[in-house]
Amino acid sequence: MFVRIVKMSFHEDRIPDFLKNFEAVKDKIRNANGNRFLELYQDKNDKCLFFTYSYWETEADLENYRQSELFNSVWNFTKTLFNAKPEAWSVDKLVSLE
């Protein structure tokens, strides 16, 4: 399993559009094959900055999601709201303390 982190920055006036769309699709994303976890974060100091954290079983699962109709519809809408180029990382979790 690995973690996918996506950093997105939105035009301030488009944040409600993003949040409304995320609310509508979050369960579908979370239930994609191989997705084990999904969270959305908003920066405390820059309200235009958001991060998604998702856990994926395999890289093939993430790639299959990225090739899906769901991803294409979500991403095609979301990218119209950006005020900066998004960034993404796939990372392996080395330590987790609870």
Side-chain angles (χ1 to χ4, degrees):
M1 186 170 351
F2 69 98
V3 180
R4 180 73 167 181
I5 303 166
V6 180
K7 175 184 172 185
M8 300 169 287
S9 185
F10 297 100
H11 293 285
E12 187 172 342
D13 63 330
R14 301 305 304 271
I15 292 172
D17 298 331
F18 167 71
L19 292 174
K20 181 179 179 183
N21 190 61
F22 188 83
E23 183 65 28
V25 299
K26 66 183 181 183
D27 290 322
K28 293 176 186 175
I29 296 169
R30 170 54 187 88
N31 290 314
N33 278 346
N35 185 295
R36 298 293 170 248
F37 181 81
L38 175 64
E39 288 186 327
L40 175 67
Y41 303 104
Q42 185 177 28
D43 189 84
K44 286 184 137 326
N45 299 311
D46 181 352
K47 64 183 172 183
C48 295
L49 192 58
F50 289 79
F51 299 85
T52 58
Y53 277 65
S54 55
Y55 294 1
W56 294 88
E57 286 294 326
T58 67
E59 290 183 37
D61 291 326
L62 174 60
E63 189 56 31
N64 287 336
Y65 166 67
R66 293 184 69 221
Q67 298 301 319
S68 72
E69 187 175 316
L70 172 61
F71 176 83
N72 286 330
S73 67
V74 170
W75 197 246
N76 286 337
F77 173 76
T78 303
K79 68 184 179 183
T80 67
L81 312 176
F82 292 142
N83 67 8
K85 185 178 178 184
E87 298 178 62
W89 301 268
S90 292
V91 298
D92 291 321
K93 185 188 304 187
L94 298 182
V95 176
S96 180
L97 304 175
E98 294 194 30

